[in-house]
Amino acid sequence: MAHHDLQTVSHECGDCPIRHRAVCARCEADELQRLEQIKYYRSFQAGQTVIWSGDRMDFVASVVTGIATLTQTMEDGRRQMVGLLLPSDFVGRPGRPTAAYDVTATTDLVMCCFRKKPFEELMSSTPHIAQRLLEMTLDELDAAREWMLLLGRKTAREKIASLLAIIARRDTHLKLKSAKGSIVFDLPLTREEMADYLGLTLETVSRQVSALKRDGVIELEGKRHVIVRDFDKLLEETGDDTDGGYLV
Amino acid sequence: MAHHDLQTVSHECGDCPIRHRAVCARCEADELQRLEQIKYYRSFQAGQTVIWSGDRMDFVASVVTGIATLTQTMEDGRRQMVGLLLPSDFVGRPGRPTAAYDVTATTDLVMCCFRKKPFEELMSSTPHIAQRLLEMTLDELDAAREWMLLLGRKTAREKIASLLAIIARRDTHLKLKSAKGSIVFDLPLTREEMADYLGLTLETVSRQVSALKRDGVIELEGKRHVIVRDFDKLLEETGDDTDGGYLV
DNA sequence: CCGCGGGTTTGATCTGCATCAAGGCCGACA
DNA sequence: TGTCGGCCTTGATGCAGATCAAACCCGCGG
């Protein structure tokens, strides 16, 4: 099959990761059409549960707008967040029938869903989708392992700084450290959610956020609005290697 | 292309995960031959470093015999193990030029390596290899997230019990709980390595192992040889859901 | 205008694990 | 056979973060 002009085409929902490398506009058009056919949108209100751990999950999806969390809960109620889904992040595992975690909308949320069965078929007929998914999954794995270091070895203050740095980075699309200018963002999580993410209690989170503010690392307007005037200063608090870039 | 008799063929290194689903013996033979061509073995002594984080990594590999660990280290020396590689586990990420973690042999180790470039080519021409890798990576991601719960929310005693349960399970290939009979195995890790895995200090590990022994949850012969007479009793100590199976 | 409730802060106290320190065990090697 | 060096255990003490307990802030509905 001859390939024609090279260009990137993406199906219409913004940053959705289920899009193709630049291959061949014609072949892509085909696949995109098939994607469109199995795709639908779902909206959730802040606080709503998207799916419970163990439930049958017959779709895969990507976040269009809003924020969702993945959490695990122990019988006695101890909770650990194991993932934070921002726009363009992907949820769901082809080949797995049930959800492995609770997925919850922490803000109003729109997801772009693909019915799983046809998605899997599409996947096996178009190899680069599997490769794209593999790449994304490897990224998630790296992030999870980075988080293991945080949970196992960082102090409360370092944990808070790391979380703030990650959110700041994600919000502003800076991949590495950016020295210039202030970064301003709204915390998408309550203190309790931050605690569940960091393996702390909400009181400790509150105290450490106050401490970072007192020490001039961050500024706060209200409880959620954060201003970082000197990102490097924040990075120093994370305990991470600062010179080698973020993901070594 | 016509498919012939269905059967599973595997290239000759034991449990290596880079093997094929049952497809077609003839097609497989082809691919296996290509795999053989790019494959080689490497041996390491206990304690040797296989590769340092950040180094160029021009192969992917699977563990044939022995045990290796993945660790991350902070500048000040705090260490967190982020993966434990037992026979048949896979290391390396297609599409990534450098290693993301230190890989160390904790016992004598034999790995079956594939040169990365040709492996990637093979991967793009035989889609089910990418799918197999995706599946394995998803499994690793699940394990990493399970571990995040452990690091963030479990007590020292629960952490030890969980580690013992995982090793016992891996050693004996039981997928879920098995009530019957004693399980006997050797700890493949020193107390310090266990500590690095669990986000504890070696002293705490030692104390909690002693405590589990004192409380009759495990028996010890020497320092490394563990006997679990009642696996359920051990599972109760892990804090995990015991009824729903292991991976919910 | 008040009262209510969810999220947050702050203080006082407690505790599980880290830290510091001393020995014990045991295999290797002279 | 002694002793040296890894690894492990055990004890004493300290401290970061958990827990318990108030009170504050602020948007919202009455």
Side-chain angles (χ1 to χ4, degrees):
Chain A
M1 183 190 321
H3 277 188
H4 313 277
D5 48 329
L6 290 180
Q7 71 182 88
T8 314
V9 193
S10 143
H11 81 278
E12 76 235 25
C13 73
D15 253 348
C16 175
I18 306 303
R19 92 181 89 86
H20 304 142
R21 302 158 192 286
V23 204
C24 160
R26 180 115 136 232
C27 310
E28 294 236 349
D30 236 43
E31 292 164 21
L32 286 177
Q33 204 187 348
R34 294 178 60 190
L35 271 176
E36 289 301 324
Q37 282 164 13
I38 61 174
K39 153 185 141 180
Y40 57 100
Y41 291 99
R42 292 181 68 187
S43 301
F44 300 87
Q45 294 179 304
Q48 251 189 304
T49 296
V50 175
I51 193 160
W52 294 101
S53 167
D55 281 1
R56 173 146 226 89
M57 185 158 177
D58 51 5
F59 61 93
V60 296
S62 73
V63 175
V64 179
T65 60
I67 285 160
T69 61
L70 306 183
T71 56
Q72 279 185 303
T73 309
M74 296 170 69
E75 294 145 81
D76 60 6
R78 281 176 279 173
R79 283 159 51 87
Q80 177 63 50
M81 205 180 286
V82 295
L84 186 64
L85 299 171
L86 303 185
S88 94
D89 281 337
F90 185 78
V91 220
R93 25 265 336 264
R96 309 293 174 95
T98 57
Y101 315 102
D102 299 336
V103 181
T104 313
T106 59
T107 64
D108 289 345
L109 179 71
V110 177
M111 303 212 305
C112 170
C113 304
F114 302 90
R115 295 195 300 114
K116 196 161 72 180
K117 194 81 175 307
F119 185 85
E120 282 166 2
E121 281 155 16
L122 184 56
M123 211 175 88
S124 50
S125 65
T126 60
H128 59 271
I129 290 190
Q131 278 166 33
R132 176 86 184 101
L133 276 176
L134 176 58
E135 213 171 279
M136 292 192 313
T137 307
L138 285 170
D139 284 342
E140 276 189 87
L141 187 56
D142 279 339
R145 285 175 164 162
E146 196 76 27
W147 212 252
M148 285 170 66
L149 176 64
L150 177 146
L151 289 171
R153 294 302 188 194
K154 289 192 179 177
T155 64
R157 173 182 260 245
E158 287 169 340
K159 287 178 176 184
I160 300 287
S162 300
L163 179 58
L164 293 176
I166 283 178
I167 295 175
R169 232 189 301 252
R170 288 286 313 240
D171 246 47
T172 55
H173 298 284
L174 352 136
K175 274 289 161 257
L176 299 177
K177 61 179 176 179
S178 93
K180 61 227 62 151
S182 303
I183 300 172
V184 177
F185 58 96
D186 282 307
L187 282 175
L189 303 175
T190 65
R191 298 289 185 264
E192 185 174 22
E193 285 161 342
M194 292 172 67
D196 283 341
Y197 205 167
L198 299 169
L200 298 170
T201 59
L202 89 222
E203 293 96 329
T204 299
V205 170
S206 179
R207 276 185 245 273
Q208 295 296 339
V209 169
S210 300
L212 288 176
K213 178 183 170 187
R214 170 173 41 73
D215 299 346
V217 179
I218 59 172
E219 291 167 41
L220 275 181
E221 247 164 45
K223 286 140 195 325
R224 301 291 197 92
H225 194 72
V226 180
I227 302 166
V228 179
R229 295 226 181 277
D230 183 350
F231 193 58
D232 286 342
K233 195 163 166 189
L234 179 58
L235 283 188
E236 277 164 28
E237 297 285 347
T238 63
D240 291 328
D241 253 343
T242 43
D243 44 76
Y246 189 57
L247 279 181
V248 183
Chain B
M1 182 190 322
H3 277 187
H4 314 277
D5 48 328
L6 290 180
Q7 72 181 89
T8 314
V9 193
S10 144
H11 81 278
E12 75 234 25
C13 73
D15 253 349
C16 174
I18 306 304
R19 92 181 88 86
H20 304 141
R21 302 159 193 285
V23 204
C24 160
R26 179 112 140 235
C27 310
E28 293 236 348
D30 237 44
E31 292 165 21
L32 286 178
Q33 205 188 344
R34 294 178 61 190
L35 271 176
E36 289 302 322
Q37 282 165 13
I38 61 173
K39 150 185 143 181
Y40 57 99
Y41 291 98
R42 291 181 68 187
S43 301
F44 300 86
Q45 294 178 303
Q48 251 190 304
T49 296
V50 175
I51 193 160
W52 294 101
S53 167
D55 282 0
R56 173 146 227 90
M57 185 158 177
D58 52 4
F59 61 93
V60 297
S62 73
V63 175
V64 180
T65 59
I67 285 161
T69 61
L70 306 182
T71 56
Q72 280 186 304
T73 309
M74 296 171 69
E75 293 145 80
D76 61 6
R78 281 175 279 174
R79 284 159 50 86
Q80 177 63 51
M81 204 181 287
V82 295
L84 186 63
L85 299 171
L86 303 185
S88 94
D89 281 337
F90 185 78
V91 221
R93 27 266 332 266
R96 309 293 175 93
T98 57
Y101 315 101
D102 299 336
V103 181
T104 313
T106 59
T107 65
D108 289 345
L109 179 71
V110 177
M111 303 211 306
C112 170
C113 304
F114 302 91
R115 296 195 301 113
K116 195 160 73 179
K117 194 81 177 307
F119 184 85
E120 282 166 2
E121 281 155 15
L122 184 56
M123 211 176 91
S124 51
S125 64
T126 60
H128 59 271
I129 290 190
Q131 278 166 33
R132 176 88 185 97
L133 276 176
L134 176 57
E135 214 171 279
M136 293 191 316
T137 308
L138 285 170
D139 284 342
E140 276 189 87
L141 186 56
D142 280 339
R145 285 176 164 162
E146 196 76 28
W147 212 252
M148 286 170 66
L149 176 64
L150 177 145
L151 290 170
R153 294 302 187 192
K154 288 191 180 178
T155 64
R157 173 182 261 246
E158 287 169 339
K159 287 178 176 183
I160 299 288
S162 300
L163 179 57
L164 293 175
I166 283 178
I167 295 175
R169 233 189 299 253
R170 287 286 313 239
D171 246 47
T172 55
H173 298 285
L174 352 135
K175 275 290 162 254
L176 299 177
K177 60 178 176 180
S178 92
K180 61 226 62 149
S182 303
I183 300 172
V184 177
F185 58 95
D186 282 306
L187 282 175
L189 303 174
T190 65
R191 299 290 185 262
E192 185 175 20
E193 286 162 340
M194 291 172 68
D196 283 341
Y197 206 167
L198 299 169
L200 299 170
T201 58
L202 90 220
E203 294 96 329
T204 299
V205 169
S206 179
R207 275 186 246 275
Q208 296 296 338
V209 170
S210 300
L212 287 176
K213 179 182 170 188
R214 170 173 40 73
D215 299 346
V217 179
I218 59 172
E219 289 167 43
L220 276 181
E221 247 164 46
K223 284 131 194 333
R224 301 291 197 90
H225 194 74
V226 180
I227 302 166
V228 179
R229 295 224 182 277
D230 183 350
F231 193 58
D232 286 342
K233 195 164 166 189
L234 178 58
L235 283 186
E236 277 164 28
E237 297 286 346
T238 62
D240 291 328
D241 254 343
T242 43
D243 44 76
Y246 189 58
L247 279 181
V248 184

